[in-house]
Amino acid sequence: MAKAPVTELVCTRISHDLIGNIGAVANAVELMEDGDTDFMDDIKEILKVSSHVLSSRLKFFRMAFGLNNANLTDSVLIEKTIRDYLSTIGNKNFPIELELGNYSIKYARIIMLAVMILADVIIKGGKIVVAEQNCKLFVNICDVSKISAPKTEDILALLSGQKEEYLAQYAPVFYLRDLVKSSDLQLSIPDGDAFGFVIG
C-alpha cells in the first residue's frame, strides 16, 4: 500500500469514529419529522446517547490532534476529556477504566494518543494505567488477557518498522510515532505482562 500522509489517515479515522452516531442523529430527526409519537422515548434516548458520543469524541480529537490547544495545559480538563472519550468506546457493560497518576504536562498529547491506541486493542473492558517515573512516561494495559493479539502485533510491527501498512485505523500510532520523534523522545514497548508504551 502506498504511503499516505498522516493527516489524511487522521481525517479518515476521525470521520469513521463519528459517522455512525451522526447517522443515528439523522435517523432520529427523520423519525421526529414523521410525527410518530410512539417512538418518542426511543428518539430521545438515541439523541441523548449520540450527542454524548459526538461531543466527547470531538473534544478528545480536537485536543489529541489539533494545533495550539490551550486546554492541553489543564490537567483536570485533560483527565475529564480522556474519561469521557473512554466512556464512548466498546460495551457499557465492559468499561475501560483509567488510572492517571502525576505526569509532566509536556506529555499531555502523548498520553491522549497512547490511551486512544490502547483503548482500540481492549476487547472486554480493562484498565489503562498512566504514570511518570524517573523522567519516563508509562502507559499500559494491566490485563493482557483482554486485548486483541492481532491488533497488538500490528502495532508492534508498525512501531518497529517491520510493517508499513498505512491504514486509517492506525492513524494514532503513526501520529504518536511522529510526535515522539519530533519531541526528541524515545518510544518502546515494556517488558513483562503489560502491553503499552514507555516514552522518555
Side-chain angles (χ1 to χ4, degrees):
M1 179 179 291
K3 182 175 180 179
V6 173
T7 50
E8 290 184 14
L9 297 175
V10 169
C11 288
T12 305
R13 171 62 194 265
I14 289 174
S15 299
H16 175 272
D17 286 3
L18 297 178
I19 194 64
N21 284 277
I22 291 173
V25 170
N27 289 338
V29 171
E30 187 175 332
L31 287 172
M32 289 179 66
E33 289 176 340
D34 289 342
D36 193 338
T37 58
D38 292 341
F39 293 103
M40 192 54 64
D41 288 342
D42 292 334
I43 291 170
K44 288 179 180 179
E45 184 62 20
I46 290 170
L47 292 174
K48 178 181 177 182
V49 172
S50 295
S51 63
H52 166 71
V53 171
L54 290 170
S55 175
S56 297
R57 291 186 181 182
L58 279 168
K59 288 176 182 177
F60 181 91
F61 294 151
R62 182 169 181 264
M63 289 177 69
F65 298 109
L67 294 175
N68 304 321
N69 196 318
N71 291 329
L72 286 171
T73 61
D74 186 337
S75 59
V76 174
L77 182 58
I78 290 166
E79 180 172 356
K80 181 181 186 308
T81 303
I82 295 173
R83 290 188 186 280
D84 287 347
Y85 171 76
L86 291 176
S87 73
T88 72
I89 305 297
N91 191 319
K92 66 179 180 180
N93 296 319
F94 300 99
I96 299 175
E97 299 176 11
L98 176 70
E99 184 178 314
L100 185 59
N102 294 327
Y103 62 91
S104 303
I105 204 66
K106 67 179 182 179
Y107 288 125
R109 190 188 301 270
I110 289 172
I111 289 170
M112 298 186 82
L113 292 168
V115 167
M116 184 178 180
I117 294 165
L118 296 184
D120 282 347
V121 305
I122 292 177
I123 299 172
K124 287 190 176 181
K127 180 187 286 187
I128 298 173
V129 179
V130 181
E132 184 180 349
Q133 298 175 357
N134 301 322
C135 299
K136 288 189 175 182
L137 181 71
F138 297 80
V139 187
N140 296 314
I141 299 171
C142 289
D143 189 350
V144 294
S145 68
K146 296 183 176 181
I147 64 177
S148 166
K151 287 184 179 180
T152 56
E153 289 170 4
D154 281 348
I155 290 168
L156 291 171
L158 290 169
L159 290 175
S160 66
Q162 297 175 4
K163 182 176 182 179
E164 288 291 336
E165 189 170 2
Y166 288 82
L167 299 175
Q169 73 182 92
Y170 295 120
V173 177
F174 295 113
Y175 197 89
L176 176 64
R177 186 180 66 179
D178 290 354
L179 180 61
V180 168
K181 184 177 180 180
S182 67
S183 302
D184 292 323
L185 298 169
Q186 298 294 322
L187 186 154
S188 60
I189 306 298
D191 296 326
D193 295 332
F195 177 77
F197 308 110
V198 181
I199 298 158

